[in-house]
């Protein structure tokens, strides 16, 4: 170690990168991801990678109906991510979106089953909205109250609330099962459509419109209101908040009422607008996927639109691959994993710069790589451009980290 | 009389009395130091060659070449953000230089991690201690060392080190039971234990009392005479004069020059550091028409464990006057200010705010928001800047609205609140949006008026250097035209130029009729700045004296005389 030897590369944080260059890096990342996917496809299945990509695309955008479903699913995922965002901004790790959505769904299902055909539809709809928002908010506020009063760990309590919600829904599924003994509720009010949300245009459009409105709403709330400012201050430091005359406990509870309430509202959309039934799996794990969406978008509502679309696109594509190409579900997930891996990994090169050892005497035989290193500044793009030796070295680090996050979120 | 008392205290500590040891360099010792230095001057311990380090587009260090010899104490001097710490971090293996090389004992080396640095015999004591609170001193010292765990042996070795250099530390004491100075001792022992020959101390005296600093200096001299090379980063000029053999000066990441300490004078060093002539005088005008503004009566405050941090404290702060608060750190200053500003509820006692018409409001049961809503303009610059006064991740503009975001704008609105308070408060509550434009303008004004060095007002404050962070905080607190301004260690960690800018601002507030409460640690400044000085000792008032007639020995004695930690 005492002999003169510099490390191969070291990593330095960048100040900032112009937007055009950032987009370049991301584009390159996507290109590399597709290339790696193609290689993996050929090696493991021997199929033409182009046909696999075509299947992916077909799965998400293959027909008019598929496009609408993709957009609708995107809207739901986006809405849950938006609901979690204020809490995350406050560094309140609400991973109980799943349970809050379920409770909201349960509330509307209950309204539809108990009051369907007994009161006019508009009143019923209103009641569904109020009750689901209320129950979702309650589900969010309970951990918040504990955190504000006794400083309990919200990650654990919100997570545990999910399982309580699932069990409650399971109980009511049996309680209201139709027909008796089936263990399912089935489509509620199938004959009368009582309590079903009205359709705008076609049956897919309503959640999409709502998600656009909520996106703008959350953006404005976080950026321009006093509440949004208070949330940011509380998230950073409770002592600073107190110094500024903000009561952290109050802000925590208020924000979780909003976060949980919005989740509950999504549950209402799922039950009243899309599925017209309730099961314990109606959320399909989106309460957790939304955590990833919110984080990946760095809590920016507009970025979340793109991220949710990407994730839904990949998941629809994956299931299409498994059916139409005769491969099993795992293969689709491998492809999804590779693509996410590169897209998340490339953020590292936007944040950091990798400086390689200066050409000393004889250590550079890589030819073009060596020349480019000397410029130093462009070193971030270099690894992806070449897919060469240097790349694997330098990319290992960020990718390991990000995939870990991935796995945690998924599991 | 005072001096004699001091001597007696020192005898009790087992040290030979030396005239003036506490407050100035003793001539005899200084002579002794110089002699031994010349013999070993020749051997180079460390050489920096053309070192550069870039963060983003900014050079933190640019082409720095510097030598350190064995058996000398080098003071590294520079303003905040001039790259001293960055340079030292590269030596300690925390950063890696972009360009240039470092040679240890004449051999070029590559220091990739703190472990590499330690194996080369380089150890750094950081400004913020890196100790495990629940472990003992010994456990902390041997933490992370390879080999068998042998506490007994380690303890003996620690005792040896302590005896050799004159440290006083109990190896079995837990860190959480220790004072700041003891913790620092453990940090130094930790690096010495690892056989370090080159010791870097990053602002070691920032958290120490004058007495503790003096004790530290004595240890440093012993280490130097033992042949070790020491680099000390400091802002305090008199310390540079007192302790170092040589001074090197950095400015804006560049190496400006060096000189033997003997030949340097404070004014010259300051000018080199800042790059232009700076006046080092604090103006103290006679208070105009002082009237009571804050009256504290029999205040007692307990901390979370139920220990009294402030006991039965009473005083008055007048408008147009600076009330200095002196005391060893941690003897109730923080609690006192937090109580006045409504953050901490006292056990008993009162804090009255006196209006112009002499009506009094008790602030004790109000929280900061309620105080604000009553239209009382109370400004508070807390000790913990980024943990309490500012939000580190937010930009300057957003931080400007921290205390006023409910009102959108700043002063005009607060004035309006005064007129019909209830209605306005209600109106503010109903208004969901906050005004982002006024704070932006204010941020621009503060940046321009106080010469805050920042790429733009959209830069997160945690990216600014210490002095600039403080200017942003003080700038905001002053912008609300306070009637009472409280500052806690307003210049801690600030370089000399920024410090004088802050003193200037505080003086301007005083002239405009604000009651200023200034908690400080540098007694020289406290004596120059304050109109009256309240001396705290162990949470009690040991006296309130006139700032003009006071002398340092007297205040120092009052700080320790009433059964505080130091007086034992």
């Amino acid at each position: 170690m005492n002999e003169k030897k510099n490390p191969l590369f070291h990593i330095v944080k960048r100040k900032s990168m112009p937007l055009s260059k950032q987009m370049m890096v991301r584009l390159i990342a996507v290109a590399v991801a597709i290339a790696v996917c193609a290689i993996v496809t050929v090696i493991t299945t021997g199929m033409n990678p182009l046909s696999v990509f075509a299947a992916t695309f077909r799965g998400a955008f293959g027909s008019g109906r598929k496009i609408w479903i993709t957009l609708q699913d995107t809207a739901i995922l986006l809405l849950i991510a938006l609901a979690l965002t204020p809490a995350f901004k406050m560094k309140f790790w609400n991973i109980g979106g799943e349970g809050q959505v379920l409770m909201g769904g349960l509330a509307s299902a209950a309204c539809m089953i108990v009051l369907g055909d007994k009161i006019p539809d508009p009143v019923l709809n209103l009641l569904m909205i109020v009750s689901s928002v209320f129950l979702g908010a309650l589900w969010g506020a309970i951990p918040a109250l504990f955190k504000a009063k006794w400083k309990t760990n919200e990650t654990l309590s919100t997570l545990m609330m999910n399982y309580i919600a699932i069990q409650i829904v399971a109980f009511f599924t049996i309680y209201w099962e139709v027909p008796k003994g089936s263990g399912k509720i089935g489509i509620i009010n199938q004959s009368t459509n009582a309590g079903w949300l009205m359709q705008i245009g076609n049956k897919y459009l309503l959640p999409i419109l709502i998600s656009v409105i909520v996106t703008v709403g959350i953006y404005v709330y976080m950026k321009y209101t006093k509440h949004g400012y208070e949330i940011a201050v509380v998230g950073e430091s409770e002592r600073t908040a107190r110094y500024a005359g903000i009561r952290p406990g109050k802000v925590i509870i208020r924000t979780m009422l909003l976060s949980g309430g919005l989740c509950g509202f999504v549950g209402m959309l799922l039950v009243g607008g899309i599925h017209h039934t309730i099961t314990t799996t109606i959320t399909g794990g989106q309460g957790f996927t939304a955590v990833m969406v919110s984080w990946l978008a760095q809590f920016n509502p507009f970025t979340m639109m793109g991220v949710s679309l990407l994730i839904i696109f990949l998941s629809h594509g994956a299931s299409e691959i498994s059916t139409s190409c005769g491969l099993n579900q795992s293969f689709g997930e491998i492809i999804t994993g590779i693509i996410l891996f590169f897209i998340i990994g490339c953020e590292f090169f936007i944040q950091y710069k990798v400086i390689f050892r200066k050409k000393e005497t004889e250590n550079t035989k890589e030819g073009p790589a060596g020349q480019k290193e000397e410029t130093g500044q462009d070193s971030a793009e270099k690894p992806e451009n070449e897919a060469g030796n240097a790349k694997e070295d330098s990319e290992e680090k960020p990718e390991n980290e990000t995939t870990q996050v991935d796995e945690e979120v998924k599991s | 009389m005072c001096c004699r008392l001091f001597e007696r205290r020192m005898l009790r500590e087992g040290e030979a009395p030396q005239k003036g040891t506490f407050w100035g360099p003793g001539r005899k010792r200084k002579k002794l130091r110089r002699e031994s230095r010349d013999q070993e001057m020749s051997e180079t311990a460390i050489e920096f060659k053309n070192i550069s380090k870039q963060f983003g587009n900014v050079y933190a260090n640019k082409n720095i070449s510097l030598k350190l010899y064995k058996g000398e104490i080098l003071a590294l001097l520079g303003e905040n953000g001039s790259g001293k710490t960055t340079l030292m971090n590269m030596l300690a293996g925390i950063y890696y230089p972009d360009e240039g090389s470092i040679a240890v004992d004449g051999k070029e080396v590559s220091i990739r991690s703190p472990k590499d640095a330690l194996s080369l015999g380089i150890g750094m004591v950081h400004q913020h201690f890196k100790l495990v609170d629940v472990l003992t001193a010994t456990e902390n010292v041997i933490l992370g060392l390879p080999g068998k765990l042998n506490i007994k042996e380690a303890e003996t070795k620690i005792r040896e080190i302590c005896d050799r250099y004159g440290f006083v530390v109990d190896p079995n004491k837990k860190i959480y039971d220790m004072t700041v100075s003891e913790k620092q001792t453990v940090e130094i022992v930790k690096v010495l234990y690892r056989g370090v020959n080159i010791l870097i101390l990053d602002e070691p005296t920032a958290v120490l009392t004058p007495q503790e600093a003096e004790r530290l200096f004595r240890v440093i001299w012993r280490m130097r005479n033992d042949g070790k090379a020491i680099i000390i980063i400091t802002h305090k000029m008199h310390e540079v004069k007192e302790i170092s053999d040589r001074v090197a000066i950095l400015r804006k990441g560049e190496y400006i020059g060096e000189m033997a300490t003997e030949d340097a004078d404070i004014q010259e060093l300051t000018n080199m550091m800042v790059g232009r002539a700076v006046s080092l005088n604090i103006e103290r005008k006679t208070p105009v028409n002082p009237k009571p503004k804050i009256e504290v009566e029999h205040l007692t405050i307990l901390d979370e464990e139920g220990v009294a941090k402030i006991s039965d404290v009473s005083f008055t702060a007048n408008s147009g006057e600076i009330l200095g608060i002196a005391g060893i750190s941690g003897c109730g200053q923080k609690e006192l200010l937090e109580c006045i500003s409504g953050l901490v509820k006292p056990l008993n006692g009162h804090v009255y705010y006196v209006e112009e018409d002499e009506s009094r409001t008790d602030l004790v049961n109000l929280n900061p928001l309620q105080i604000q809503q009553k239209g009382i303009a109370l400004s508070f610059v807390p000790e913990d800047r980024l943990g309490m006064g500012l939000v580190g991740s937010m930009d300057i503009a957003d931080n400007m609205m921290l205390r006023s975001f409910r009102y959108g704008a700043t002063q005009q609105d607060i004035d309006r609140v005064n007129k019909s308070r209830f209605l306005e408060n209600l109106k503010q509550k109903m208004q969901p949006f906050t005004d982002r434009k006024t704070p932006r303008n204010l941020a621009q004004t503060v940046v321009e008026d106080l010469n805050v060095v920042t790429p733009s007002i959209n830069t997160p404050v945690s990216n600014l250097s210490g002095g600039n962070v403080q200017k942003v905080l003080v700038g905001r607190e002053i912008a609300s035209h306070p009637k009472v301004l409280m500052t806690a260690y307003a210049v801690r960690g600030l370089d000399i130029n920024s410090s004088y800018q802050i003193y200037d601002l505080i003086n301007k507030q005083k002239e405009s009729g604000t009651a200023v409460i200034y908690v400080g640690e540098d007694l020289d400044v406290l004596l120059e700045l304050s109109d009256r000085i309240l001396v705290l000792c162990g949470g009690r008032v040991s006296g309130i004296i006139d700032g003009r007639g006071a002398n340092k020995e007297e205040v120092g004695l009052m700080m320790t005389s009433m059964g505080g930690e130091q007086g034992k």
Side-chain angles (χ1 to χ4, degrees), chain A residues 271-289:
Chain A
V271 171
I274 299 172
H275 298 294
H276 306 121
T277 183
I278 180 131
T279 63
T280 51
T281 53
I282 195 171
T283 51
Q286 293 196 91
F288 296 117
T289 315

Side-chain angles (χ1 to χ4, degrees), chain A residues 173-196:
Chain A
T173 328
I174 303 296
Y175 187 77
W176 282 318
E177 63 186 351
V178 176
K180 282 285 166 207
S182 67
K184 275 192 293 192
I185 288 185
I187 304 295
I188 302 166
N189 303 339
Q190 194 159 21
S191 51
T192 59
N193 288 3
W196 290 26

Side-chain angles (χ1 to χ4, degrees), chain A residues 1-8 10-16 91 220-230 232-233 236-247 250 353 355 358 377, chain B residues 54-58 96-98 101 108-110 112 116 119-120 338 343 368-369 380 382 384 387-394 398 401-403 405-406 428 431-434 436 473 476-477:
Chain A
M1 185 215 61
N2 263 0
E3 81 268 28
K4 165 86 188 167
K5 192 162 188 249
N6 286 329
L8 179 64
H10 64 280
I11 290 162
V12 181
K13 198 161 171 137
R14 281 176 193 277
K15 232 202 171 115
S16 68
K91 301 224 166 92
V220 171
Y221 182 75
M222 294 308 300
K223 186 125 202 217
Y224 295 105
T225 66
K226 292 175 188 174
H227 286 185
Y229 186 77
E230 286 180 344
V233 174
E236 197 60 33
S237 151
E238 289 198 11
R239 286 181 63 208
T240 309
R242 250 180 240 118
Y243 166 82
I246 300 167
R247 281 169 32 217
K250 189 178 134 191
K353 184 159 74 176
I355 296 177
K358 288 273 166 58
Q377 293 191 334
Chain B
Q54 231 178 329
F55 291 116
N57 306 324
V58 183
Y96 192 82
D98 293 344
S101 63
E108 261 191 28
V109 291
S110 146
R112 291 185 230 177
D116 285 2
S119 64
L120 289 167
E338 288 187 358
L343 286 163
L369 179 60
F380 177 29
D384 187 358
M388 187 175 210
L390 297 168
V391 182
S393 64
M394 285 188 181
D398 279 1
M401 53 198 269
L402 187 64
R403 301 252 272 172
F405 72 95
R406 291 182 193 84
Q428 297 301 346
Q431 166 64 254
F433 293 103
T434 173
R436 295 227 163 211
L473 177 55
R476 181 190 73 208
E477 289 305 299

Side-chain angles (χ1 to χ4, degrees), chain B residues 129-146:
Chain B
F129 304 140
K130 297 173 177 4
L131 298 168
V132 182
D133 263 358
V134 294
L135 299 183
T136 64
T138 313
E139 286 165 340
N140 264 292
V141 167
I142 59 174
L143 200 65
L145 285 179

Side-chain angles (χ1 to χ4, degrees), chain A residues 194-340:
Chain A
W196 290 26
L197 292 182
M198 58 170 181
Q199 293 182 5
I200 299 170
N202 62 29
K203 62 179 181 173
Y204 306 108
L205 195 57
L206 182 68
I208 298 169
L209 285 179
I210 291 175
S211 73
V212 171
I213 295 166
V214 174
T215 305
V216 177
I218 290 285
Y219 180 79
V220 171
Y221 182 75
M222 294 308 300
K223 186 125 202 217
Y224 295 105
T225 66
K226 292 175 188 174
H227 286 185
Y229 186 77
E230 286 180 344
I231 287 170
V233 174
V234 170
E236 197 60 33
S237 151
E238 289 198 11
R239 286 181 63 208
T240 309
R242 250 180 240 118
Y243 166 82
I246 300 167
R247 281 169 32 217
K250 189 178 134 191
V251 176
I252 288 174
I253 292 172
R254 187 182 65 204
T255 308
M256 275 310 288
L257 282 172
L258 173 77
S259 182
L262 199 50
C263 279
F265 182 76
V266 178
M268 195 274 307
L269 282 180
L270 282 173
V271 171
I274 299 172
H275 298 294
H276 306 121
T277 183
I278 180 131
T279 63
T280 51
T281 53
I282 195 171
T283 51
Q286 293 196 91
F288 296 117
T289 315
V291 174
M292 188 170 74
V293 172
S294 185
W295 266 95
L296 273 185
Q298 283 154 5
F299 311 127
N300 181 329
F302 293 110
T303 319
M304 274 176 225
M305 284 180 156
V307 176
S308 348
L309 183 64
L310 175 77
I311 294 201
I312 294 293
F313 163 73
L314 288 173
S315 86
H316 284 194
S319 52
E320 178 73 17
I321 294 173
S322 60
T323 51
S324 73
C325 302
L327 300 166
N328 62 18
Q329 184 74 32
S330 316
F331 187 75
E333 274 163 19
I334 290 173
I335 299 289
T336 310
I338 292 171
I339 292 174
L340 278 180

Side-chain angles (χ1 to χ4, degrees), chain B residues 14 34 46 73 81 154 185 187 192 198 224 285 287 293 324 329 382 404 408 420 519 552 557:
Chain B
R34 303 280 172 236
I46 285 190
I73 300 172
T185 311
E187 282 279 14
L192 289 177
I198 297 150
R224 188 194 64 119
K285 291 191 176 152
K293 205 75 212 164
S329 68
S404 59
S420 64
V519 172
K552 210 165 158 181
L557 198 61

